Amino acid sequence: MAGYKIAILISGRGSNMAALIQACQADGFPAEVALVLSNRPDAPGLAIAKAAGIPTEVIEHGGFENREAFDAAMTDVLAAAGVRLICMAGFMRLLSEEFCQRWRDSLINIHPSLLPAFKGLHVHERMLDAGVRIAGCTVHYVRPAMDEGPILVQAAVPIAADDTPDSLAARILQQEHRIYPLAVRLIAEGRARPAGGMVAIDNYSLPRQWLINPPLE
Ligand code: GRF
């Protein structure tokens, strides 16, 4: 269903953005990227988006009196672009309650942990310090509290004995690039929706390829 327009919010590198753009440009994908919006003019992801022919906008948060005013400017641009879904992809700004409410159930985020564990920043280092054996990543609907909201898709990533924060981040990122397009597909096809603090998915079959530890036969 081309015509299901999404926006991607970035602040930096934009590798998840690039994965979403690539997925959307593949034949038969049910969504298209109508806009990439950055709060930083120097975000490297902007050049990737432009090279892929995607419209980009920069709204610098520093130019606004407060968070609400910045968020309202984003809402104007996003609404004008006619987007139905907003994907945060390394967007390093907290969002106001008003923005979360305005885009409730149309706003998703990716986080490099198996939420609700390890919300916040410096996640890879904190997971290693805690000695957990399984890390992972999560795509979730956004609610006003940081890294909170109904979970759409997760992938698990085992931790190696010699992992550093960088090596672990690199392996988790590979999985991020797989689960973000899957989550967008489920929403754009109308198969996934928030329901009672969780996400209901129509015709859900255990997606074996997303599991590190498939069920025993
Ligand atoms: C990713 O690890 C994502 O999970 C987190 O910020 C990072 C963004 O990386 N929210 P990139 O800009 O998508 O490469």
Side-chain angles (χ1 to χ4, degrees), residues 139-141 150-154 179 181-207 210:
V139 181
H140 63 98
Y141 283 101
I151 291 169
L152 276 150
V153 185
Q154 294 184 306
I179 65 171
L182 174 63
V184 169
R185 171 188 283 282
L186 289 171
I187 294 171
E189 286 176 343
R191 289 179 56 200
R193 76 202 64 82
M198 294 187 253
V199 173
I201 298 178
D202 297 337
N203 305 319
Y204 184 83
S205 62
L206 194 59
W210 307 104

Side-chain angles (χ1 to χ4, degrees), residues 57-135:
E57 292 260 6
V58 175
I59 305 180
E60 288 188 71
H61 58 269
F64 292 85
E65 205 163 285
N66 52 38
R67 190 177 302 284
E68 285 71 23
F70 168 68
D71 286 0
M74 285 205 299
T75 284
D76 288 347
V77 167
L78 292 161
V83 302
R84 295 173 64 184
L85 180 68
I86 302 166
C87 305
M88 298 170 67
F91 185 68
M92 301 304 284
R93 298 286 303 165
L94 290 174
L95 297 167
S96 60
E97 290 227 20
E98 285 88 338
F99 188 89
C100 292
Q101 203 49 44
R102 165 66 178 78
W103 297 102
R104 190 181 167 88
D105 299 346
S106 303
L107 178 61
I108 63 176
N109 181 45
I110 187 154
H111 182 75
S113 78
L114 290 173
L115 290 174
F118 297 102
K119 297 173 180 172
L121 296 173
H122 309 299
V123 167
H124 309 96
E125 200 174 350
R126 285 165 45 218
M127 289 192 289
L128 291 175
D129 287 348
V132 298
R133 302 290 187 202
I134 305 278

